[in-house]
Amino acid sequence: MAVPKKRTSISKKRIRKNIWKFKGYLVAVKALSLAKSLSTGNSKSFFVRQTSTNR
């Protein structure tokens, strides 16, 4: 017969939620950093084709 699980404490729930949020924050910081390096042309991992306006 199925037995109901014990309830997770509020503090443990909060800790897990904060870890989940922090991982998203780190991904956002990394994406912003990459965008800045691409916009300034200092990126070493991406090759952006330069479009010339003189045609």
Side-chain angles (χ1 to χ4, degrees):
M1 189 168 149
V3 179
K5 294 181 179 177
K6 288 187 175 180
R7 182 182 168 145
T8 306
S9 68
I10 293 174
S11 61
K12 191 175 282 188
K13 182 179 177 182
R14 193 174 294 140
I15 288 167
R16 287 183 181 150
K17 191 174 184 181
N18 285 339
I19 290 170
W20 183 78
K21 284 181 181 179
F22 187 69
K23 284 181 182 178
Y25 169 76
L26 289 179
V27 172
V29 168
K30 197 177 235 184
L32 184 64
S33 174
L34 179 61
K36 284 181 182 178
S37 67
L38 283 174
S39 68
T40 58
N42 293 332
S43 177
K44 302 215 181 329
S45 60
F46 279 89
F47 296 103
V48 180
R49 189 181 345 184
Q50 299 294 329
T51 58
S52 59
T53 56
N54 299 334
R55 285 191 176 183

